[in-house]
Structures are given as C-alpha cells and as structure tokens.
C-alpha cells in the first residue's frame, strides 16, 4: 500500500491490479484475448504468404523453368491443405479487422464486441466449411480416386 490517503474503492482496485500482476497476466482466457492473439498470428501468416508469393512470382524474370517447377509443387495435396489454412487465416483476419474497426469507431462497439466476436466466428464457419470442401475436392479425388 502507499503512504498517501486513498479511498476504500481505490485501495481495493489497487490490490486487485497488484494481485493480477503478481499472477503474471491480466488475461484469463477471455475470448477477446484469443481474438487478439489469432489476429496477430493470422496477420503474420498472411504477411509470410505474400512475401513467398512475391519471391516465386519474381522467378519468372530470373528463370522461367524454375518458376514452372515451383508452380508444379503447388499442385501437391500438402500445399492444397496449406491453401485452405491460408484462406481460413485471411478470412478470420479480415472479419476480425472489421470487428476491431467497429469497436474502435462505433459508439456501441465496445458494448457489443463479444457478440460481434461470436458473429464473426459463425460467419467464418459458414464460409469456410463449403469453401474448404470445394478447395479440397480435387485433392481428395486425386488421392482416393473418383470421377
């Protein structure tokens, strides 16, 4: 405690803040925390994809044959699965970015941020399930046979 006079609510708030700091974190698994973490991760993954995309596209000018070989590796099932992950990451990042903007610039945003997080989760699933199905259809047919 400090040596200055303080009111009881201020002292209680200070004690709670100090206890929280002693435990190492202010967050305890709140959905907003996980949204923040996923937003950062999906942003970094998107950045690395764009970096690799620029590099492989630049191969056209350096060596067209090498470029063709790289593009052939992109037709593998593993890369197709990674593409589905990329689409999921970009979609979440975009939807969550809209939610963050609404929280920042809409007067009701802070009150509705948890509800908006659930909405973007539902929209993400509704878009990703059929999207992943159609993205993976050719790969599954190639691996397991089919028409």
């Amino acid at each position: 405690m400090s040596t200055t006079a303080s009111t009881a609510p201020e002292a209680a708030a200070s004690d709670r803040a100090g206890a929280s700091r002693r435990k190492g974190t202010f967050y305890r698994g709140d959905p907003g925390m996980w949204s923040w973490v996923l937003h950062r991760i999906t942003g970094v993954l998107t950045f690395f994809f764009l970096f690799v995309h620029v590099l492989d596209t630049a191969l056209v000018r350096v060596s067209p044959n090498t470029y063709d070989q790289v593009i052939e590796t992109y037709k593998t099932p593993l890369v197709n699965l990674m593409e589905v992950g990329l689409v999921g990451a970009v979609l979440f990042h975009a939807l969550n970015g809209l939610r963050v903007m609404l929280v920042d610039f809409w007067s009701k945003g802070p009150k509705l941020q948890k509800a908006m997080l659930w909405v973007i989760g539902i929209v993400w699933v509704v878009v990703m399930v059929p999207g992943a199905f159609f993205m993976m259809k050719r790969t599954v047919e190639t691996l397991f046979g089919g028409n």
Side-chain angles (χ1 to χ4, degrees):
M1 283 294 197
S2 70
T3 58
T4 61
S6 63
T7 63
E10 291 172 339
S14 175
D15 288 344
R16 283 192 306 272
S20 180
R21 278 189 215 105
R22 283 190 295 274
K23 290 181 183 175
T25 181
F26 285 104
Y27 299 108
R28 292 189 173 76
D30 184 65
M33 179 200 68
W34 292 113
S35 169
W36 180 86
V37 169
L38 284 174
H39 195 72
R40 278 18 178 218
I41 291 170
T42 57
V44 169
L45 290 174
T46 303
F47 170 78
F48 281 121
F49 163 75
L50 291 172
F51 181 72
V52 169
H53 178 64
V54 168
L55 288 178
D56 70 13
T57 304
L59 281 174
V60 166
R61 307 258 313 163
V62 177
S63 173
N65 290 335
T66 305
Y67 173 78
D68 290 339
Q69 291 172 348
V70 169
I71 294 303
E72 281 302 311
T73 64
Y74 290 167
K75 296 177 183 176
T76 63
L78 178 63
V79 174
N80 186 236
L81 188 60
M82 289 170 43
E83 287 174 338
V84 172
L86 174 67
V87 169
V90 169
L91 180 63
F92 175 81
H93 193 79
L95 292 171
N96 195 51
L98 292 173
R99 183 188 71 87
V100 168
M101 286 189 296
L102 287 172
V103 169
D104 287 345
F105 298 114
W106 184 33
S107 63
K108 295 180 183 179
K111 291 179 184 175
L112 298 174
Q113 69 174 332
K114 197 172 271 188
M116 288 189 289
L117 182 59
W118 282 105
V119 168
I120 69 162
I122 291 166
V123 169
W124 186 86
V125 168
V126 166
V127 172
M128 276 306 296
V129 168
F133 173 79
F134 288 111
M135 288 179 75
M136 294 295 296
K137 186 177 179 189
R138 183 181 57 86
T139 296
V140 171
E141 288 174 350
T142 301
L143 288 175
F144 301 109
N147 298 344

